[in-house]
Every structure is written in structure tokens, then in C-alpha cells.
Amino acid sequence: MSSIHISKRDGMPFAKALMIRLIGVLLSLVVCAVVIVALTKLNPVEVYKAIFSGAVGTSRRAWVTIRDALILLCVAIGLTPAFKMRFWNIGAEGQVLMGGCVSAAIMIYGADHFGTAQLIPMMVVGSIVAGMIWGLIPAFFKAHWNTNETLFTLMMNYVAMQIITFCIVFWENPAGSNTVGIINSKTKLGWLPAFSGLAYGWIVLVLTVAMFGYLKYSKQGYEISVVGESENTAKYVGINVKKVIMRTMAISGAICGLAGFIIVSGSSHTISTSTAGGRGFTAIIVAWLSKFNTFTMVVISFFLVFMEQGAGQIASQFNLNENASEVITGIILFFILGSEFFVNYKIQFKKKEEGGHTK
């Protein structure tokens, strides 16, 4: 008789961990190929080529993929400090919406009085403050009355959507449309200027580096880690837990609000209830898969958007439902998560002796 013993690893060399992850990705592609043949009778290589073409096949497609990956990355960076503190911020959607709403309001009401050079700083500050407030509300209740932050932040998403709906009707569409038209389409006042095709890439990349340094090397980053591990330990060593919760969620909400500004000013130039586009929930996957490493988030964000953009090409080229791409993405993510298990844990097979002992 033999038994299986699972134990946590103390550590693993980077090269070996990378090899395990690569093996996981290769195995996932093999399984995906089998699924594609079984369900669609198509050549899996052609399907993979279609996904690649749909995501980066032309300069325009590549631009859209990079743009959406940067926005997703920004939201994931916003969630990172809260999640590392074990504050389950499920309200990124609402924080993005509120940031975008304030940016749209400044574009609409400020166009008659200010130029783009004045509007953009106002929009940046306004979106950051709006997202910060939307993050501080559940943080205040959590810090003082220990409310369930998961439900609270989730509910705040729906409140934000209702506020957006009211603003849309008030601003432009009394008929009840769920979207405002392109804001300042003729003058382009408040639009982020295009630098090499992407106006905001440098903003997100700076945030990527800054958040990595903040969490890893700053005193506040250390406090976030301690509170996340144990609030009792944090209190014992003199950390003000309430202050850390409020401060961390202010940062988290502020960055998500900034993402709302980026979408409205640099991408869609409009506001609607779908402005966030589900990025607040997708960013949760990005944050967890990356283990809160912002540099790893760059790769994961690009991969998820890459697969999402490839879905449209599969649907049009092979007359398939776009869910086919989601199935492929799900299989790949499953194997990636599975490889993380083998990176963090080791499995040992031990034979049992007749007396019940193992050897």
C-alpha cells in the first residue's frame, strides 16, 4: 500500500518554476486541440492562427489589444493593495464607473470654459477623488463595524450604475438611452492626445513600477502585508489597523477611478453603464494569478485580452459561438493554476508497511 503526502515547498529556483509553468501551458494547448477536434472537427492549428490574427493580425487590432490590456492592468493594479490586505474589493466596476462619470461631467460642463490642457488635470483629479470616495465608503464600515466588504463593495457597483443611468438621462438622453454620445466629438476637448497611438500607456506603466515598489519596499506596504496576515498581530506590533484599511482602500479606489478617466478620455470618449466592461471582475483574476506582482500582471492582462480579442475572429471565420474562445481560455487558465500548485507544493508517494507505518 502507498499513500500520498502533500507538503508546502520552502521555495523553488526561478528556472525550475518557469519550466513547470511552460509545461502547464504546453499541456493546455494539447488538451485544447483535442477539445477543438472533438467539438468542431476543425484543425486546431487554424483555430490558434485565427485567435492570433484576431488579436494582433493588423496594426489596428494590435493597437486595440494593447489599449484594452493597459486598461485591465490599471484596474488590476488598483485591486492589488486591497487584496494583499485581504480586503476583498469586488467593487472595482463601480469605482471605475464613478471615475469615468466625473471625467465625463468635467468634459461636458468644462468645454465652454477651459481647453484640453486645463480639462485633463481636472479630470484626473476628479476621477481619482471619485474612485477614492467610492472605495472609502465600504472601508469605513469595515474598519468601524466589521461589515462584510465583499457584499458591500459588490452592492456599490449597482449603486454606481444607477447614478450613471441618472446622469445619462439628465445630460443628453431623456428618451432613456443607456449611453451618452461621443463627448466633444467636434472639438475633442478633454480627449487625451495620442502619443504614438496610445496616450495613456506611460501612466499605467508608471503605476506598475510604483505599486511594485510601494508594496515591496515601503513601510505602508509592510503594514498592508501584516494586516493581511493577521489583524491581531498588526495590533500587537502597534499598527493602526483602521487607518491601514482606510488608507489602502483609498489608494485602491483612486487607481480604479483613474482607470475610469483613461477609458472616457483616452478610449471611448463617452460614458455608459457598460463603461467598465466587466474589467473590475476580470482584474480579480489578473491580481490573483500574478500573486500581486504587478510586473506579472502585464503578461496576464495581455493574455486575457489577447484571447478575448481572438474570440471575435473565431466566430466570424469559422461561424462559431464566441464562447469557443472562452472554453479555450478556461482550459489554459486551469492548467496555469494547476502548475502553480506544483510550484508551491510537492507530492510524495510513501509506501505503507504492514504495521501501518510509512517509509
PDB file of all heavy atoms in Angstrom, residues 89-113:
ATOM      1  N   ASN A  89     -12.061  43.594  -2.333  1.00  0.00           N
ATOM      2  CA  ASN A  89     -12.670  44.701  -3.061  1.00  0.00           C
ATOM      3  C   ASN A  89     -13.279  44.184  -4.369  1.00  0.00           C
ATOM      4  O   ASN A  89     -12.588  44.069  -5.384  1.00  0.00           O
ATOM      5  CB  ASN A  89     -11.617  45.778  -3.341  1.00  0.00           C
ATOM      6  CG  ASN A  89     -12.190  46.960  -4.099  1.00  0.00           C
ATOM      7  OD1 ASN A  89     -13.404  47.118  -4.215  1.00  0.00           O
ATOM      8  ND2 ASN A  89     -11.312  47.805  -4.613  1.00  0.00           N
ATOM      9  N   ILE A  90     -14.564  43.888  -4.342  1.00  0.00           N
ATOM     10  CA  ILE A  90     -15.264  43.421  -5.539  1.00  0.00           C
ATOM     11  C   ILE A  90     -15.946  44.605  -6.228  1.00  0.00           C
ATOM     12  O   ILE A  90     -16.754  44.428  -7.140  1.00  0.00           O
ATOM     13  CB  ILE A  90     -16.303  42.331  -5.167  1.00  0.00           C
ATOM     14  CG1 ILE A  90     -15.690  41.315  -4.216  1.00  0.00           C
ATOM     15  CG2 ILE A  90     -16.794  41.593  -6.412  1.00  0.00           C
ATOM     16  CD1 ILE A  90     -14.497  40.560  -4.778  1.00  0.00           C
ATOM     17  N   GLY A  91     -15.636  45.804  -5.774  1.00  0.00           N
ATOM     18  CA  GLY A  91     -16.320  46.998  -6.275  1.00  0.00           C
ATOM     19  C   GLY A  91     -15.555  47.806  -7.281  1.00  0.00           C
ATOM     20  O   GLY A  91     -15.857  48.988  -7.487  1.00  0.00           O
ATOM     21  N   ALA A  92     -14.567  47.206  -7.937  1.00  0.00           N
ATOM     22  CA  ALA A  92     -13.783  47.963  -8.916  1.00  0.00           C
ATOM     23  C   ALA A  92     -14.648  48.485 -10.058  1.00  0.00           C
ATOM     24  O   ALA A  92     -14.414  49.568 -10.583  1.00  0.00           O
ATOM     25  CB  ALA A  92     -12.640  47.110  -9.462  1.00  0.00           C
ATOM     26  N   GLU A  93     -15.671  47.705 -10.443  1.00  0.00           N
ATOM     27  CA  GLU A  93     -16.569  48.156 -11.506  1.00  0.00           C
ATOM     28  C   GLU A  93     -17.180  49.512 -11.152  1.00  0.00           C
ATOM     29  O   GLU A  93     -17.205  50.431 -11.966  1.00  0.00           O
ATOM     30  CB  GLU A  93     -17.684  47.129 -11.718  1.00  0.00           C
ATOM     31  CG  GLU A  93     -17.260  45.865 -12.400  1.00  0.00           C
ATOM     32  CD  GLU A  93     -17.230  46.001 -13.919  1.00  0.00           C
ATOM     33  OE1 GLU A  93     -18.247  46.379 -14.517  1.00  0.00           O
ATOM     34  OE2 GLU A  93     -16.165  45.720 -14.491  1.00  0.00           O
ATOM     35  N   GLY A  94     -17.706  49.621  -9.942  1.00  0.00           N
ATOM     36  CA  GLY A  94     -18.320  50.861  -9.508  1.00  0.00           C
ATOM     37  C   GLY A  94     -17.327  51.992  -9.381  1.00  0.00           C
ATOM     38  O   GLY A  94     -17.631  53.153  -9.719  1.00  0.00           O
ATOM     39  N   GLN A  95     -16.126  51.689  -8.918  1.00  0.00           N
ATOM     40  CA  GLN A  95     -15.101  52.721  -8.768  1.00  0.00           C
ATOM     41  C   GLN A  95     -14.648  53.244 -10.130  1.00  0.00           C
ATOM     42  O   GLN A  95     -14.413  54.442 -10.298  1.00  0.00           O
ATOM     43  CB  GLN A  95     -13.931  52.150  -7.963  1.00  0.00           C
ATOM     44  CG  GLN A  95     -14.284  51.860  -6.513  1.00  0.00           C
ATOM     45  CD  GLN A  95     -13.526  50.701  -5.896  1.00  0.00           C
ATOM     46  OE1 GLN A  95     -12.434  50.351  -6.343  1.00  0.00           O
ATOM     47  NE2 GLN A  95     -14.106  50.094  -4.864  1.00  0.00           N
ATOM     48  N   VAL A  96     -14.543  52.348 -11.106  1.00  0.00           N
ATOM     49  CA  VAL A  96     -14.223  52.770 -12.471  1.00  0.00           C
ATOM     50  C   VAL A  96     -15.342  53.640 -13.031  1.00  0.00           C
ATOM     51  O   VAL A  96     -15.087  54.694 -13.646  1.00  0.00           O
ATOM     52  CB  VAL A  96     -14.000  51.537 -13.378  1.00  0.00           C
ATOM     53  CG1 VAL A  96     -13.888  51.956 -14.841  1.00  0.00           C
ATOM     54  CG2 VAL A  96     -12.741  50.780 -12.959  1.00  0.00           C
ATOM     55  N   LEU A  97     -16.597  53.218 -12.817  1.00  0.00           N
ATOM     56  CA  LEU A  97     -17.736  53.974 -13.322  1.00  0.00           C
ATOM     57  C   LEU A  97     -17.791  55.379 -12.722  1.00  0.00           C
ATOM     58  O   LEU A  97     -18.055  56.362 -13.433  1.00  0.00           O
ATOM     59  CB  LEU A  97     -19.037  53.228 -13.025  1.00  0.00           C
ATOM     60  CG  LEU A  97     -19.369  52.026 -13.911  1.00  0.00           C
ATOM     61  CD1 LEU A  97     -20.628  51.335 -13.405  1.00  0.00           C
ATOM     62  CD2 LEU A  97     -19.550  52.451 -15.359  1.00  0.00           C
ATOM     63  N   MET A  98     -17.551  55.486 -11.428  1.00  0.00           N
ATOM     64  CA  MET A  98     -17.627  56.795 -10.790  1.00  0.00           C
ATOM     65  C   MET A  98     -16.507  57.706 -11.271  1.00  0.00           C
ATOM     66  O   MET A  98     -16.702  58.910 -11.494  1.00  0.00           O
ATOM     67  CB  MET A  98     -17.576  56.647  -9.271  1.00  0.00           C
ATOM     68  CG  MET A  98     -18.780  55.924  -8.682  1.00  0.00           C
ATOM     69  SD  MET A  98     -20.372  56.597  -9.216  1.00  0.00           S
ATOM     70  CE  MET A  98     -20.307  58.239  -8.517  1.00  0.00           C
ATOM     71  N   GLY A  99     -15.312  57.145 -11.470  1.00  0.00           N
ATOM     72  CA  GLY A  99     -14.217  57.934 -12.033  1.00  0.00           C
ATOM     73  C   GLY A  99     -14.543  58.402 -13.437  1.00  0.00           C
ATOM     74  O   GLY A  99     -14.311  59.566 -13.797  1.00  0.00           O
ATOM     75  N   GLY A 100     -15.109  57.498 -14.244  1.00  0.00           N
ATOM     76  CA  GLY A 100     -15.499  57.865 -15.602  1.00  0.00           C
ATOM     77  C   GLY A 100     -16.622  58.875 -15.622  1.00  0.00           C
ATOM     78  O   GLY A 100     -16.665  59.765 -16.479  1.00  0.00           O
ATOM     79  N   CYS A 101     -17.560  58.765 -14.674  1.00  0.00           N
ATOM     80  CA  CYS A 101     -18.699  59.687 -14.606  1.00  0.00           C
ATOM     81  C   CYS A 101     -18.223  61.114 -14.332  1.00  0.00           C
ATOM     82  O   CYS A 101     -18.670  62.066 -14.987  1.00  0.00           O
ATOM     83  CB  CYS A 101     -19.664  59.226 -13.519  1.00  0.00           C
ATOM     84  SG  CYS A 101     -21.154  60.229 -13.385  1.00  0.00           S
ATOM     85  N   VAL A 102     -17.324  61.272 -13.385  1.00  0.00           N
ATOM     86  CA  VAL A 102     -16.805  62.605 -13.067  1.00  0.00           C
ATOM     87  C   VAL A 102     -16.002  63.164 -14.239  1.00  0.00           C
ATOM     88  O   VAL A 102     -16.114  64.352 -14.570  1.00  0.00           O
ATOM     89  CB  VAL A 102     -15.945  62.552 -11.784  1.00  0.00           C
ATOM     90  CG1 VAL A 102     -15.210  63.872 -11.570  1.00  0.00           C
ATOM     91  CG2 VAL A 102     -16.818  62.237 -10.579  1.00  0.00           C
ATOM     92  N   SER A 103     -15.221  62.313 -14.892  1.00  0.00           N
ATOM     93  CA  SER A 103     -14.464  62.771 -16.062  1.00  0.00           C
ATOM     94  C   SER A 103     -15.403  63.253 -17.169  1.00  0.00           C
ATOM     95  O   SER A 103     -15.174  64.301 -17.791  1.00  0.00           O
ATOM     96  CB  SER A 103     -13.579  61.636 -16.594  1.00  0.00           C
ATOM     97  OG  SER A 103     -12.546  61.312 -15.683  1.00  0.00           O
ATOM     98  N   ALA A 104     -16.475  62.495 -17.405  1.00  0.00           N
ATOM     99  CA  ALA A 104     -17.444  62.885 -18.432  1.00  0.00           C
ATOM    100  C   ALA A 104     -18.120  64.199 -18.070  1.00  0.00           C
ATOM    101  O   ALA A 104     -18.337  65.068 -18.942  1.00  0.00           O
ATOM    102  CB  ALA A 104     -18.486  61.781 -18.598  1.00  0.00           C
ATOM    103  N   ALA A 105     -18.458  64.374 -16.788  1.00  0.00           N
ATOM    104  CA  ALA A 105     -19.110  65.611 -16.351  1.00  0.00           C
ATOM    105  C   ALA A 105     -18.205  66.820 -16.580  1.00  0.00           C
ATOM    106  O   ALA A 105     -18.656  67.885 -17.035  1.00  0.00           O
ATOM    107  CB  ALA A 105     -19.487  65.495 -14.876  1.00  0.00           C
ATOM    108  N   ILE A 106     -16.924  66.666 -16.280  1.00  0.00           N
ATOM    109  CA  ILE A 106     -15.982  67.774 -16.475  1.00  0.00           C
ATOM    110  C   ILE A 106     -15.826  68.075 -17.961  1.00  0.00           C
ATOM    111  O   ILE A 106     -15.752  69.242 -18.374  1.00  0.00           O
ATOM    112  CB  ILE A 106     -14.625  67.434 -15.824  1.00  0.00           C
ATOM    113  CG1 ILE A 106     -14.784  67.348 -14.304  1.00  0.00           C
ATOM    114  CG2 ILE A 106     -13.570  68.481 -16.194  1.00  0.00           C
ATOM    115  CD1 ILE A 106     -13.547  66.852 -13.582  1.00  0.00           C
ATOM    116  N   MET A 107     -15.800  67.034 -18.794  1.00  0.00           N
ATOM    117  CA  MET A 107     -15.717  67.250 -20.237  1.00  0.00           C
ATOM    118  C   MET A 107     -16.945  67.995 -20.761  1.00  0.00           C
ATOM    119  O   MET A 107     -16.845  68.879 -21.608  1.00  0.00           O
ATOM    120  CB  MET A 107     -15.595  65.901 -20.961  1.00  0.00           C
ATOM    121  CG  MET A 107     -14.264  65.216 -20.782  1.00  0.00           C
ATOM    122  SD  MET A 107     -14.221  63.558 -21.532  1.00  0.00           S
ATOM    123  CE  MET A 107     -14.172  63.972 -23.275  1.00  0.00           C
ATOM    124  N   ILE A 108     -18.114  67.634 -20.238  1.00  0.00           N
ATOM    125  CA  ILE A 108     -19.363  68.230 -20.726  1.00  0.00           C
ATOM    126  C   ILE A 108     -19.513  69.675 -20.263  1.00  0.00           C
ATOM    127  O   ILE A 108     -19.789  70.582 -21.056  1.00  0.00           O
ATOM    128  CB  ILE A 108     -20.571  67.390 -20.263  1.00  0.00           C
ATOM    129  CG1 ILE A 108     -20.568  66.029 -20.978  1.00  0.00           C
ATOM    130  CG2 ILE A 108     -21.886  68.131 -20.530  1.00  0.00           C
ATOM    131  CD1 ILE A 108     -21.573  65.036 -20.421  1.00  0.00           C
ATOM    132  N   TYR A 109     -19.311  69.912 -18.971  1.00  0.00           N
ATOM    133  CA  TYR A 109     -19.567  71.239 -18.417  1.00  0.00           C
ATOM    134  C   TYR A 109     -18.360  72.179 -18.508  1.00  0.00           C
ATOM    135  O   TYR A 109     -18.513  73.393 -18.402  1.00  0.00           O
ATOM    136  CB  TYR A 109     -20.012  71.116 -16.957  1.00  0.00           C
ATOM    137  CG  TYR A 109     -21.360  70.473 -16.811  1.00  0.00           C
ATOM    138  CD1 TYR A 109     -21.478  69.189 -16.290  1.00  0.00           C
ATOM    139  CD2 TYR A 109     -22.518  71.130 -17.202  1.00  0.00           C
ATOM    140  CE1 TYR A 109     -22.719  68.576 -16.155  1.00  0.00           C
ATOM    141  CE2 TYR A 109     -23.769  70.531 -17.082  1.00  0.00           C
ATOM    142  CZ  TYR A 109     -23.861  69.260 -16.548  1.00  0.00           C
ATOM    143  OH  TYR A 109     -25.099  68.651 -16.430  1.00  0.00           O
ATOM    144  N   GLY A 110     -17.174  71.602 -18.694  1.00  0.00           N
ATOM    145  CA  GLY A 110     -15.989  72.456 -18.749  1.00  0.00           C
ATOM    146  C   GLY A 110     -15.570  72.852 -20.146  1.00  0.00           C
ATOM    147  O   GLY A 110     -14.686  73.703 -20.314  1.00  0.00           O
ATOM    148  N   ALA A 111     -16.206  72.252 -21.157  1.00  0.00           N
ATOM    149  CA  ALA A 111     -15.784  72.505 -22.538  1.00  0.00           C
ATOM    150  C   ALA A 111     -15.964  73.954 -22.957  1.00  0.00           C
ATOM    151  O   ALA A 111     -15.227  74.462 -23.811  1.00  0.00           O
ATOM    152  CB  ALA A 111     -16.564  71.591 -23.491  1.00  0.00           C
ATOM    153  N   ASP A 112     -16.936  74.648 -22.365  1.00  0.00           N
ATOM    154  CA  ASP A 112     -17.186  76.045 -22.727  1.00  0.00           C
ATOM    155  C   ASP A 112     -16.264  77.021 -22.020  1.00  0.00           C
ATOM    156  O   ASP A 112     -16.263  78.218 -22.340  1.00  0.00           O
ATOM    157  CB  ASP A 112     -18.645  76.414 -22.415  1.00  0.00           C
ATOM    158  CG  ASP A 112     -19.632  75.650 -23.276  1.00  0.00           C
ATOM    159  OD1 ASP A 112     -19.253  75.249 -24.396  1.00  0.00           O
ATOM    160  OD2 ASP A 112     -20.776  75.446 -22.822  1.00  0.00           O
ATOM    161  N   HIS A 113     -15.496  76.527 -21.068  1.00  0.00           N
ATOM    162  CA  HIS A 113     -14.702  77.435 -20.238  1.00  0.00           C
ATOM    163  C   HIS A 113     -13.208  77.126 -20.244  1.00  0.00           C
ATOM    164  O   HIS A 113     -12.401  77.994 -19.914  1.00  0.00           O
ATOM    165  CB  HIS A 113     -15.208  77.397 -18.790  1.00  0.00           C
ATOM    166  CG  HIS A 113     -16.682  77.619 -18.658  1.00  0.00           C
ATOM    167  ND1 HIS A 113     -17.264  78.856 -18.791  1.00  0.00           N
ATOM    168  CD2 HIS A 113     -17.696  76.741 -18.423  1.00  0.00           C
ATOM    169  CE1 HIS A 113     -18.582  78.745 -18.628  1.00  0.00           C
ATOM    170  NE2 HIS A 113     -18.872  77.465 -18.404  1.00  0.00           N
TER     171      HIS A 113
END
